[in-house]
Amino acid sequence: MAALDSLLDLGSELLVRATRNICAGSLLNADHGRAATAARLSDWTEVLSLYAEKNAEDVRVSA
């Protein structure tokens, strides 16, 4: 029975470590995704403002 308890403890430890790494990777991916999205929004905002200035009477800008 002690061997079974030892095996369960080891399995639990491995599961906790694997889950921790998955969560850390997910957070890293989410942070990277937010940064990439913010950069794209910034780029498009700059492009839109240039277009709106050039064609101010023909274009309505909304966010």
Side-chain angles (χ1 to χ4, degrees):
M1 203 60 180
L4 182 58
D5 288 338
S6 177
L7 186 58
L8 287 174
D9 289 341
L10 179 62
S12 298
E13 179 66 24
L14 290 174
L15 183 62
V16 167
R17 286 184 185 190
T19 304
R20 185 180 306 133
N21 289 335
I22 289 170
C23 291
S26 295
L27 288 173
L28 183 62
N29 286 339
D31 289 341
H32 178 71
R34 279 190 290 273
T37 301
R40 287 190 193 113
L41 283 173
S42 175
D43 290 345
W44 280 109
T45 300
E46 292 172 10
V47 169
L48 184 60
S49 67
L50 292 173
Y51 183 75
E53 287 174 10
K54 185 176 181 181
N55 301 306
E57 62 277 351
D58 297 333
V59 177
R60 280 191 281 166
V61 178
S62 63

